[in-house]
Amino acid sequence: MTGPGRARSWLYVPAHRPELLDKALSGPADAVVLDLEDAVPAEAKESARAAAVRAATVPRTKPLWVRVNAVGTPWSADDLAALAGTDLDGVRVPKAGDPETIAGLAHRLGLPLHLLLETALGVEQAYALATAHPSVLAVSLGEADLAADLGVRRPDALAWARQRVVVACRAAGIAAPITSVWTDLADPDGLEHDSREARDQGFFGRSVIHPKQVEPVHRAFTPSADEVTDARALLGSLTDATGRGESAWVDARGRFVDPAVVAGAHRVLQQADTLPDTLTEEDR
């Protein structure tokens, strides 16, 4: 099954609407996230939690995660108690900021964690949070909440925060961060453009809030046929060069090649070989 570092799309489904879960699990998204937090009104928190617990017992063919309510809210303790030890693939933790709190939460849940950094404190603590416990598999930004916390209005004002979390994840040895949601459902072109920018900044995959956002996200995070061809050609030059004892060389197309470039080509082919193939050649 796919997970952090492999899933291109993570579709949020409000947990108090279980009729949407079967559609999501049988749909094109690589992974599904049942939401107990922002998408669920206060009066539906209990029924949403019960639905999430039931969903964890049903056989499935793709990862199912749950986003719990933030620590310190009236619903957090009940979320953790209900989900501990279930057969979920993992839990998303919003507004992560304190590594000791995360370590305690990981111990209680016994499940993989994906931490969402949505405050200035969370960004400042990015590496400490990424290394707070072995159960932490992913650390990402919640960009809408972070922008509100910082009082910024321009999307490019968060570029530094994106790079901060990319570096933290790499330094911690965990998967590349998953890109935050794109809230404008009427702008699929903007979604795809921003997803490609995030990919080029070191992110992999994106959270989505509607099934129609899946395809543009998949296009952005699936290596194109040209990228795969170029990677194979570059690696084809590797045999000749290493046979000559060279650690860096210029290939037949005039590209300077060194170990870092080779690693990038291997990464492209690994993604092409392991990602679920949901796009036609024409789509790519």
Side-chain angles (χ1 to χ4, degrees):
M1 299 177 76
T2 52
R6 289 289 181 270
R8 297 160 296 181
S9 56
W10 299 74
L11 177 61
Y12 275 117
V13 176
H16 68 305
R17 298 193 58 190
E19 74 277 6
L20 298 179
L21 179 58
D22 287 342
K23 293 181 181 179
L25 288 172
S26 62
D30 288 343
V32 174
V33 183
L34 274 175
D35 192 17
L36 300 181
E37 195 206 17
D38 288 345
V40 180
E43 63 272 15
K45 296 288 189 183
E46 186 174 348
S47 63
R49 185 184 305 116
V53 173
R54 287 194 300 271
T57 67
V58 178
R60 52 191 181 271
T61 58
K62 63 181 65 177
L64 178 64
W65 289 59
V66 170
R67 179 169 70 173
V68 296
N69 289 283
V71 173
T73 64
W75 312 284
S76 174
D78 288 339
D79 288 351
L80 300 181
L83 298 178
T86 60
D87 194 30
L88 290 168
D89 291 279
V91 169
R92 285 192 171 190
V93 182
K95 297 178 176 61
D98 176 43
E100 290 186 7
T101 298
I102 295 302
L105 188 152
H107 180 72
R108 291 180 61 189
L109 279 172
L111 291 167
L113 300 182
H114 175 190
L115 310 184
L116 302 178
L117 312 186
E118 301 176 286
T119 64
L121 177 61
V123 175
E124 282 296 302
Q125 295 273 49
Y127 178 73
L129 289 164
T131 55
H133 192 275
S135 294
V136 177
L137 300 190
V139 174
S140 301
L141 298 175
E143 294 188 359
D145 285 284
L146 179 59
D149 187 52
L150 297 175
V152 301
R153 299 184 181 183
R154 291 172 39 175
D156 62 355
L158 296 182
W160 66 273
R162 283 188 170 188
Q163 295 310 134
R164 178 72 176 269
V165 75
V166 167
V167 171
C169 289
R170 182 60 179 167
I174 62 176
I178 298 160
T179 320
S180 186
V181 297
W182 179 264
T183 57
D184 190 349
L185 293 176
D187 186 14
D189 292 337
L191 166 63
E192 185 168 348
H193 174 75
D194 188 72
S195 297
R196 291 185 185 278
E197 284 202 343
R199 176 201 64 189
D200 293 346
Q201 292 167 343
F203 285 71
F204 188 81
R206 184 160 209 153
S207 297
V208 297
I209 54 177
H210 193 281
K212 71 181 183 180
Q213 293 184 314
V214 170
E215 186 175 316
V217 166
H218 282 192
R219 281 197 296 267
F221 289 102
T222 302
S224 69
D226 287 343
E227 288 172 326
V228 171
T229 297
D230 285 347
R232 287 187 176 135
L234 188 148
L235 293 179
S237 70
L238 178 62
T239 302
D240 292 339
T242 54
R244 297 191 299 267
E246 299 176 2
S247 60
W249 65 94
V250 176
D251 70 7
R253 296 178 55 181
R255 295 176 294 185
F256 178 79
V257 181
D258 65 5
V261 176
V262 171
H266 278 298
R267 186 161 51 248
V268 168
L269 294 184
Q270 181 185 41
Q271 289 176 353
D273 290 341
T274 60
L275 291 177
D277 189 9
T278 60
L279 299 178
T280 66
E281 200 64 33
E282 181 178 354
D283 289 330
R284 294 180 183 177

